[in-house]
Amino acid sequence: MNFTEIANWMNEKGHKTSRGKVFRSAHVHSILKKYGITKLWVEKEATSKLSKFDLYFVEKTLVNHL
């Protein structure tokens, strides 16, 4: 199905957009595009990188404390 056919099907079934309007092909395209990007992001394998770092604690005293 193309975007227009999907939009028509959604409208026939009574589905509305998140703002309560009828679906158009651009809505369908945007939803599927975002889904694809999210799916790639979620399925992406995590990589880890270890590096040397230093941690310093500096004591700070409040001067002229009331």
Side-chain angles (χ1 to χ4, degrees):
M1 293 175 82
N2 62 30
F3 298 137
T4 304
E5 291 171 342
I6 295 171
N8 290 338
W9 182 86
M10 297 288 278
N11 293 327
E12 289 171 5
K13 300 294 181 183
H15 297 288
K16 300 284 184 188
T17 65
S18 60
R19 297 184 182 210
K21 300 187 178 196
V22 295
F23 276 93
R24 303 184 82 138
S25 60
H27 296 126
V28 175
H29 177 264
S30 178
I31 291 168
L32 293 176
K33 179 178 155 186
K34 289 175 186 173
Y35 171 76
I37 291 170
T38 303
K39 186 176 179 186
L40 288 174
W41 181 75
V42 168
E43 291 177 352
K44 184 177 178 182
E45 187 169 331
T47 59
S48 62
K49 179 180 175 184
L50 298 175
S51 61
K52 184 178 177 180
F53 70 94
D54 294 320
L55 184 61
Y56 296 98
F57 291 96
V58 178
E59 182 180 342
K60 293 189 176 186
T61 310
L62 185 59
V63 181
N64 295 332
H65 182 63
L66 299 177

